[in-house]
Amino acid sequence: MALYGWIIYNGFLKSDKFVDFAEMLQEAALERGHEAEIKTNVDVLNVLHHDGSNPIYDRLPDYVLFTDKDIYLANTLERLGVNVFNRSRAIEVSDDKIKTYEHLAAFRLPIPLTIVAPKTFGQPLHVRHPYIRQVLDQLSFPFIVKEAFGSFGEQVHLVHDEDELANCLEKIGSSPFVFQEFIEESRGVDLRLQVVGEEVVASMKRISETDFRANVTAGGRMEPYEPNEWEKRLAVQATKAIGAHFAGVDLLFGKDGERYICEVNSNAHIRNLYDCTNIDASYDIIKLVERELKS
Ligand SMILES: Nc1ncnc2c1ncn2[C@@H]1O[C@H](COP(=O)(O)OP(=O)(O)O)[C@@H](O)[C@H]1O
Ligand SMILES: [Mg+2]
């Protein structure tokens, strides 16, 4: 019997990027002979039934490719015994940059010096708060202020002095964030390595002439990149550290060939990488699902 899969994306995000990612995965699944349906997190009702039964779906899939961040729904599907890729736990860790850095640090993987802002119970952290002195003892300007939740570079800020820091803290309000060392050598450039299982299947360099962030959405251009063994190893280890089966790993360039892990994205869109390298990682992802279901 053909494998039956659902590809779930978020029904509230209107950008075509999200549908496109789901369609790439569906196409690869269909080509591999699966029965594959695209659904949104609205199509699949998340009912917490007290006896663990499934009162809703006539037929559960063999697997779900969960391109969304609706962790509650991913958890329910896992409790019903469905194989969810990535695992809900990996998506949760990836979505929260603080949790990601915690996992990377626990695995002793290289990350920029990172200070997690304290929990403030709804109060914004004021730049005059004595706490900020301790941060300024550890980090010199310019440094990065990065919100725990964000994408496309939009919640990543570079602050050059106390005034900019004050503005930034005010804008962030009480959302969780980190203070982070700015890796100057990597200004406007980074690497994106797509890991599937134990392998890096495609990589690119992203370069921005106009912004410290290299995100393509923030104006970066892309070129294919051949990673060295160390870069590949870091990317695979980072993917393992967050418990993901596949991920897009961002690496930063440090001094003397050093590399830092910047981000591990469990839901990395693979369209840009395909446009840049002509490698369609969705096939690698589908083959990985097949291997995992067999074992
Ligand atoms: N500590 C840092 N030093 C230098 N550049 C950074 C640092 N953190 C982030 N950047 C730049 O900002 C971009 C976006 O940061 P990232 O953490 O990947 O957030 P997002 O999820 O929004 O992509 C990175 O691709 C990189 O170019
Ligand atoms: Mg990123």
Side-chain angles (χ1 to χ4, degrees), residues 97 146 151-153 180-181 183 190 213-215 250 263:
K97 290 188 169 73
K146 190 182 293 193
S151 317
F152 312 121
Q180 189 172 71
E181 175 190 6
I183 307 300
D190 73 359
R213 292 161 294 195
N215 300 69
D250 295 348
E263 192 194 7

Side-chain angles (χ1 to χ4, degrees), residues 106 216 228 267:
V216 173
N228 63 34
N267 289 351

Side-chain angles (χ1 to χ4, degrees), residues 2-5 7 22-38 63 65 282-283 286 290:
L3 285 175
Y4 176 44
I7 298 141
E23 285 175 351
M24 282 177 81
L25 292 167
Q26 183 188 36
E27 203 179 302
L30 293 175
E31 208 151 300
R32 296 284 302 171
H34 302 195
E35 203 183 320
E37 288 175 39
I38 294 183
Y63 69 88
L65 284 163
S282 54
Y283 286 85
I286 297 298
E290 291 170 0

Side-chain angles (χ1 to χ4, degrees), residues 2-22:
L3 285 175
Y4 176 44
W6 289 352
I7 298 141
I8 296 182
Y9 74 96
N10 193 287
F12 293 89
L13 296 172
K14 291 292 167 239
S15 160
D16 293 342
K17 284 191 267 213
F18 299 97
V19 185
D20 176 62
F21 182 30

